[in-house]
Structures are given as C-alpha cells and as structure tokens.
Amino acid sequence: MSETAKIILEGKEYELPVITGSEGEKAIDISNLRGLSGYITMDEGYKNTGSTLSAVTFLDGELGILRHRGYSIEDLADNCTFLEVAYLLLKGELPTESELADFEHKITEHTLVNEGLEGMFKAFPTGSHPMGQLSSMISALSLFYPKSLNPHRDEDAISRTIIRLIAKMPTICAMIYKKRNGHPIVFPNNYLDYVTNYLNMTFGQVTDPNYTPDPVIVNAMNKLLILHADHEQNCSASTVRMVGSSQSNLYSSISAGINALWGPLHGGANQEVLEMLEHIKNDGGDVTKWINKAKDKNDPFRLMGFGHRVYKNFDPRAKIIKKACDEVLEKLGVNDPVLEIAKKLEEVALSDPYFVDRKLFPNVDFYSGIIYRALGFPTDFFTILFALGRLPGWISQWQEMRLEKQPIARPRQIYTGQAPREFVPMEKR
Ligand code: SDX
C-alpha cells in the first residue's frame, strides 16, 4: 500500500500520494491538488518545495552529507581530477581510463574561442565585472554555433555543445583575467591537463613559454573545482532548469545560471566574504563587534559565508576547503592575516546562541576566497572560479530536465492587488 497524505479543505478530505526518494526523503505530490480542490500551495523562496526528482546529487543538510551519483564528496575530492567528476555528473558513472582519455581528447578539440567572439570581448569595458563578461560571452556562443541551438535537434549536436562549453569555459575565464591586467591572451595548450591549461592561460605570459604552475596550486584548483561541481537544486541550477524548460538552448540556460550565481547571497558570497574579512581587519579585527552587528536585526550586516538554505550542520565542502586552506597557505608560505580573522569569527560564531540556534555554520564560500587569494586571484574573480567548477553540474541538471521531457516551469501565485475597477480616462485622473 503506497503512502498517502490527507488534507481537509472546506470540510472535504483529499488524499495525495507521497513520494519516497532512494535516500528515504519524503514529498507530498501536489501535482493534482489544484485540479482536485482549486487550492494551490504557497512557499516563498521554495524553502519546502521540491521542483523535480533528480539522480545527480544527494545532500543531507542535517547530517552534512554531499554525494554525486552516490559517491561522497570526500572520496571524489581526495581521489579524482575535476574532469573525472565532470564525466561522472554528465554520464552517471566514473570513467574508465580510456573513457576519460576520450573525454579529455574531445575537449582539446574545442578549447579555442572564435576570433569573432574575441572581437566582441575586446569591446567590453576594462574593469567591468568578470561575471557580467562571462555570462555575456557564454550567451554569445549561441551566435557562433547556430546549428546547435535546438536542444532536441540531435544527440550529437547536444554532445558537441556540452563538450564545447566545458572546453571553452576555462579559455574564456582566462581571457577575462588577462583583460583586467591589460595583458595579451595566452592561448590554450592542449598538451596540458585541463586545470594546468587553465592556470597556464591565466598566470602564464606570452613572453614566458616555460611557465609551469606550482603543483600545489594545480592540486588545490582541482579540489576546489570538484567541491563546486554541483549542489542539486540551488538557485543557479534551478535557474538553468527554468530557462532550459522553455526549450531555450544550452548556452542561454548556462548564461542565466551564471547570472543567478553572481548574486551575493549565492555564488557572489565568496567575494563578499573576503571583502568582509578585509573590512574587519582594517576596522581593527574586533570580531565580537561584527558578530554582534550580524545578530542585530536593525543592522543589514550579515556574516557572509555563514548559513545555508539546506545545510543546518557543517557544509562538508567547507570542512574540506578549510583543511586545504591550511595546507595551501603553509606550502606556499603565505601568512594571510584574514585567515586568522576567519578562524576567530568561526570560533566565536559557533559558540554564540544566535548562530547555534539558527544552525548557521560556515558554508562553501567561507574559506574558498582565502585560498583563491593565496593562489593569486583577485577578489572579484572568485565567483568566476565558482562558475568554472559548477558548469558540469548545471549541464547535468539541464540534461536530466531535457531527457525527462519535463514541462515548462511555470509557478502559480496568489493575487493580492486591486479589485476590478472602472477605467479612468486621462482627463479625469
Ligand atoms: C551558496 O543553495 C545552495 O546549495 C547554494 C550553494 C551552492 O553550492 O550552490 O551552497 C552556494 O550560495 C552558499 C551560500 C552563500 N551565501 C552566503 O554565505 C550569504 C550569507 N548567508 C545568508 O544570506 C543566508 O544564510 C542564506 C541566503 C545562505 C540562506 O538564507 P535562508 O535559508 O533564506 O535563511 P534566512 O535568510 O531565512 O535566515 C534564517 C535566520 C534569519 O534570522 P531570523 O529571521 O530567524 O531571526 O538566520 C539569519 C536570518 O537573519 N541568518 C543570518 C545569516 N544567515 C541567516 N544572520 C546573520 N548572518 C548570516 N549569514
């Protein structure tokens, strides 16, 4: 006997099916609620609403668990390269050696960016925000590959589009970095692995063909990209699914996801964390003062990098990043005073009832900015790195929505505006 939920509306009882996920999660299926009762549900910000069934990522906010296709984030971060995890997200299985080699080879065939796109890029104002440049460039890919716009055209075209996006994202991210410094673009070197190639295009110079990134930095970047690879139905992934559900093309769906990630409450938080830590340092480093500001309802200040819509325990990614942070700064011989402020903030916050009662723990963004800065990235570039990591997750979510033939996403509302009224001609207003 399958489980059901009963609700009584205006004296009438309705029975709704209950869905149980493979990890025992429960949902009341309200797909027919309006047809049966005329009622809809209301859940501003979708805090209690499931938008889809999904097999890509599982997370348990109470226990601080994150798994991709059944594998724990700890195992993946310790044992895989970023492209291995990207393959896992996209295909559902970890690749064999030959499958990974084929995947990597296909990517090397698409790492260059069309000269015409580069021309558009050169017109962007120097100093414009990297995330605005990235979303514009990804959307503009749809102009250069018109044959791959129809998401239902053919699987080969879609596979090529997916490879094209994964191949060109690092090149475009590196171009954006070069632009901010007024340096010439370093082209992809297809003899380098994905992450080394990205670091070479970013920190290498056309005048220094022998540049080799520090293996510590390559390893840290691989791990950071893996930790950002997917996170089920977060704001940006839901945006990608929403735009994709209209059968818009993958480029426009990913560009929309980048724009959603840009927000300071989402992926933009890593930039905000560093700016907050810098501000606290420059203000004298009194963390208690800033903790009290974060607790003050009349003060708009929030402790950036703390709290999460789903995690009501430690974000498992934050734990891994915090450990990597210590290792990377030690190996690179970096002594970053904001790291000490971050640790003091975390220590004070985690013993303060305001944060404990609201289950506000450090999230993925709290420590990532400190590593990114130690690796040489400027603060307004941190969310670019989040997007670079999240790309395979967004694509996997889009693929699942497409292959499941999900309907166009169109939520309902409850109207609270004016009652019907007579039109007032201009002369009588
Ligand atoms: C990411 O969804 C994902 O999976 C996202 C992500 C991913 O991988 O895709 O994990 C990446 O976006 C991580 C989150 C990065 N954002 C930040 O670090 C910004 C700071 N955090 C907050 O703004 C907040 O915690 C959110 C936005 C992350 C979550 O907000 P919710 O779930 O809407 O919770 P809420 O705003 O209703 O807060 C509940 C209470 C409120 O207090 P009360 O009204 O109950 O008195 O907690 C308070 C909030 O005021 N609160 C904070 C706080 N976060 C929540 N108070 C001070 N500082 C904070 N950071």
Side-chain angles (χ1 to χ4, degrees):
M1 175 68 175
S2 55
E3 199 179 342
T4 60
K6 290 178 183 170
I7 54 171
I8 297 170
L9 298 168
E10 295 170 26
K12 195 172 175 197
E13 183 177 289
Y14 299 90
E15 197 162 5
L16 301 170
V18 167
I19 298 168
T20 304
S22 46
E23 290 291 335
E25 298 166 296
K26 302 276 186 183
I28 300 168
D29 182 346
I30 58 166
S31 309
N32 298 318
L33 178 64
R34 189 168 185 276
L36 290 170
S37 69
Y39 279 62
I40 64 169
T41 58
M42 181 57 67
D43 182 20
E44 202 169 65
Y46 310 117
K47 295 190 177 186
N48 305 284
T49 297
S51 57
T52 184
L53 303 177
S54 179
V56 179
T57 289
F58 170 72
L59 61 87
D60 182 317
E62 281 64 37
L63 299 178
I65 293 170
L66 174 58
R67 297 194 202 113
H68 295 315
R69 303 287 191 185
Y71 295 100
S72 77
I73 191 62
E74 292 83 359
D75 282 347
L76 296 174
D78 284 345
N79 300 293
C80 292
T81 63
F82 174 58
L83 280 193
E84 267 181 279
V85 175
Y87 185 100
L88 170 66
L89 288 168
L90 291 166
K91 307 280 187 182
E93 297 296 335
L94 285 168
T96 61
E97 203 162 348
S98 62
E99 286 167 336
L100 182 59
D102 178 56
F103 184 55
E104 288 169 338
H105 174 69
K106 283 194 176 85
I107 286 168
T108 61
E109 292 173 334
H110 295 275
T111 50
L112 278 172
V113 165
N114 185 298
E115 294 286 299
L117 195 62
E118 203 180 310
M120 182 191 100
F121 174 70
K122 286 197 168 82
F124 290 163
T126 303
S128 50
H129 198 287
M131 288 297 277
Q133 294 183 48
L134 181 60
S135 64
S136 305
M137 290 289 278
I138 295 299
S139 186
L141 286 174
S142 63
L143 311 178
F144 289 85
Y145 302 101
K147 292 192 184 125
S148 57
L149 295 186
N150 179 345
H152 300 289
R153 179 167 168 259
D154 63 61
E155 289 309 318
D156 284 346
I158 290 165
S159 301
R160 203 162 36 255
T161 300
I162 291 172
I163 291 289
R164 198 176 273 138
L165 272 164
I166 294 176
K168 295 183 191 306
M169 188 78 152
T171 308
I172 292 170
C173 291
M175 286 167 67
I176 293 168
Y177 182 85
K178 285 303 186 194
K179 182 183 188 71
R180 64 177 296 112
N181 298 327
H183 291 173
I185 291 167
V186 171
F187 288 111
N189 174 345
N190 289 330
Y191 294 98
L192 300 175
D193 67 74
Y194 191 80
V195 171
T196 304
N197 186 27
Y198 169 64
L199 292 169
N200 183 51
M201 290 189 285
T202 302
F203 296 122
Q205 294 291 354
V206 289
T207 53
D208 177 8
N210 301 317
Y211 167 81
T212 310
D214 184 323
V216 171
I217 295 180
V218 175
N219 181 49
M221 269 313 296
N222 247 307
K223 191 166 281 195
L224 284 160
L225 294 176
I226 289 169
L227 292 171
H228 287 84
D230 189 56
H231 214 239
E232 53 128 286
Q233 305 313 312
N234 56 83
C235 178
S236 53
S238 299
T239 302
V240 170
R241 279 184 174 248
M242 173 77 83
V243 171
S245 73
S246 72
Q247 295 190 4
S248 180
N249 63 79
L250 182 53
Y251 300 116
S252 56
S253 302
I254 297 299
S255 177
I258 293 168
N259 285 311
L261 188 74
W262 190 354
L265 294 187
H266 190 12
N270 53 21
Q271 173 177 345
E272 298 283 329
V273 167
L274 244 294
E275 288 168 0
M276 171 189 77
L277 293 171
E278 278 288 349
H279 189 73
I280 293 172
K281 175 172 74 82
N282 298 336
D283 179 60
D286 177 358
V287 295
T288 305
K289 167 186 169 186
W290 290 91
I291 292 275
N292 290 333
K293 282 172 65 68
K295 291 158 58 177
D296 179 355
K297 285 292 158 227
N298 300 316
D299 190 321
F301 175 75
R302 280 201 159 185
L303 201 56
M304 299 313 279
F306 258 75
H308 197 278
R309 173 60 58 78
V310 179
Y311 286 123
K312 301 309 171 191
N313 194 324
F314 250 90
D315 181 334
R317 301 167 296 175
K319 279 185 182 172
I320 298 170
I321 291 182
K322 181 179 177 181
K323 182 167 171 285
C325 204
D326 284 330
E327 290 167 4
V328 166
L329 268 65
E330 188 191 342
K331 283 181 183 170
L332 294 180
V334 171
N335 175 25
D336 191 340
V338 297
L339 178 61
E340 293 320 308
I341 290 180
K343 288 182 173 178
K344 273 171 64 181
L345 264 181
E346 181 186 0
E347 185 187 326
V348 174
L350 294 184
S351 58
D352 185 301
Y354 173 93
F355 292 89
V356 174
D357 296 348
R358 291 168 177 80
K359 301 183 188 308
L360 302 176
F361 292 87
N363 59 47
V364 67
D365 293 307
F366 189 64
Y367 282 102
S368 56
I370 297 169
I371 293 191
Y372 289 145
R373 184 159 81 163
L375 299 184
F377 291 102
T379 309
D380 67 353
F381 211 76
F382 294 170
T383 314
I384 289 280
L385 300 170
F386 194 142
L388 183 58
R390 186 53 53 92
L391 179 64
W394 284 331
I395 297 173
S396 308
Q397 299 285 346
W398 178 89
Q399 269 284 59
E400 187 173 65
M401 177 274 304
R402 181 181 72 88
L403 296 174
E404 296 293 320
K405 295 184 173 33
Q406 292 189 349
I408 184 168
R410 201 274 186 215
R412 292 276 182 164
Q413 66 160 30
I414 294 295
Y415 176 69
T416 56
Q418 293 278 356
R421 49 184 170 163
E422 291 299 317
F423 180 73
V424 179
M426 181 64 81
E427 63 275 10
K428 292 187 177 174
R429 287 177 201 165

